[in-house]
Amino acid sequence: QKEVEQNSGPLSVPEGAIASLNCTYSDRVSQSFFWYRQYSGKSPELIMSIYSNGDKEDGRFTAQLNKASQYVSLLIRDSQPSDSATYLCAVRVGMLTFGGGTRLMVKP
Amino acid sequence: EAQVTQNPRYLITVTGKKLTVTCSQNMNHEYMSWYRQDPGLGLRQIYYSMNVEVTDKGDVPEGYKVSRKEKRNFPLILESPSPNQTSLYFCASSPGTAETQYFGPGTRLLVL
């Protein structure tokens, strides 16, 4: 069983809609959670980090963490075509472990 | 400018020919790591280093070597590359293990 699971997608949403990306993890002692965005052929770049249960908002992005259910999600409001990328969920238990990523496509 | 640099960015080589991919960071970070990224498998950690002269295996260390003689540099060595090491490689650094990592631009390797 993979330690960090993401639906590979593609997830297709129309411009202006809310994109919802989900991630589940297996290790209950995980402490730190990150969302990275990766454009095709480029390196991952950090979007959000979250450490405690609840929501964390930064501009159009909201990260949600539920440690009891072992999932973390990323909401992107008012999605733009420039948000089209692969989104990587990463969980730290000692090492940083990445999920396989979800490809998001925002259609104009 | 704070950055992680990797060289070369693209490399085509043949099976068995030793190669080194360099990684350097100018942020005085203690923690550095190497990942490979393959379609459908995501980012997998190869090796990491907590500080100078301290290195440890990640999830997929077979066929790779690293060294950390200086804080800023963390080269990845493939002593005898094989076609299954064809991949996109990323170097990353962070101030400590608990903080987010900053990634280099990537090195695309093709082993024939």
Side-chain angles (χ1 to χ4, degrees):
Chain A
Q1 181 186 358
K2 290 183 71 174
E3 295 180 25
V4 182
E5 297 264 13
Q6 293 181 257
N7 188 316
S8 61
L11 172 66
S12 182
V13 300
E15 184 175 356
I18 296 175
S20 178
L21 304 160
N22 299 311
C23 170
T24 59
Y25 59 94
S26 60
D27 197 323
R28 286 194 169 273
V29 301
S30 301
Q31 295 292 322
S32 310
F33 307 86
F34 306 91
W35 282 100
Y36 286 81
R37 177 176 62 200
Q38 186 178 24
Y39 293 111
S40 180
K42 301 295 185 182
S43 56
E45 55 179 332
L46 180 71
I47 300 174
M48 298 278 289
S49 59
I50 186 166
Y51 303 97
S52 54
N53 278 329
D55 295 0
K56 179 181 177 181
E57 188 174 317
D58 184 359
R60 294 187 297 113
F61 299 97
T62 299
Q64 299 175 317
L65 175 61
N66 184 322
K67 288 189 177 181
S69 300
Q70 294 176 244
Y71 83 78
V72 57
S73 62
L74 179 70
L75 300 178
I76 306 175
R77 289 182 299 281
D78 189 23
S79 295
Q80 301 296 309
S82 58
D83 295 325
S84 297
T86 296
Y87 290 79
L88 303 170
C89 171
V91 176
R92 184 178 294 286
V93 183
M95 294 190 305
L96 194 62
T97 301
F98 286 84
T102 298
R103 185 169 159 229
L104 173 66
M105 298 172 59
V106 181
K107 298 191 173 181
Chain B
E1 179 190 354
Q3 60 183 351
V4 180
T5 57
Q6 294 177 230
N7 282 293
R9 296 289 313 280
Y10 304 92
L11 180 59
I12 301 174
T13 189
V14 295
T15 298
K17 186 176 180 182
K18 181 179 178 180
L19 67 91
T20 299
V21 184
T22 64
C23 172
S24 183
Q25 51 93 5
N26 62 1
M27 296 170 277
N28 202 36
H29 286 170
E30 292 190 347
Y31 186 89
M32 298 185 74
S33 59
W34 275 103
Y35 296 87
R36 61 177 289 173
Q37 187 173 38
D38 303 289
L41 296 177
L43 278 163
R44 293 178 293 168
Q45 191 174 54
I46 303 170
Y47 268 95
Y48 63 96
S49 170
M50 308 272 279
N51 213 325
V52 175
E53 302 291 2
V54 180
T55 63
D56 211 343
K57 297 177 181 178
D59 293 323
V60 288
E62 295 76 21
Y64 304 94
K65 285 175 59 178
V66 293
S67 68
R68 187 94 181 271
K69 294 184 170 60
E70 306 165 281
K71 199 171 189 178
R72 63 183 293 128
N73 296 323
F74 190 45
L76 179 70
I77 303 156
L78 285 72
E79 293 270 3
S80 182
S82 62
N84 64 12
Q85 292 178 298
T86 292
S87 188
L88 178 59
Y89 291 87
F90 288 103
C91 179
S93 74
S94 62
T97 58
E99 284 124 299
T100 188
Q101 295 192 31
Y102 298 86
F103 285 83
T107 295
R108 193 169 290 278
L109 172 66
L110 173 62
V111 183
L112 300 173

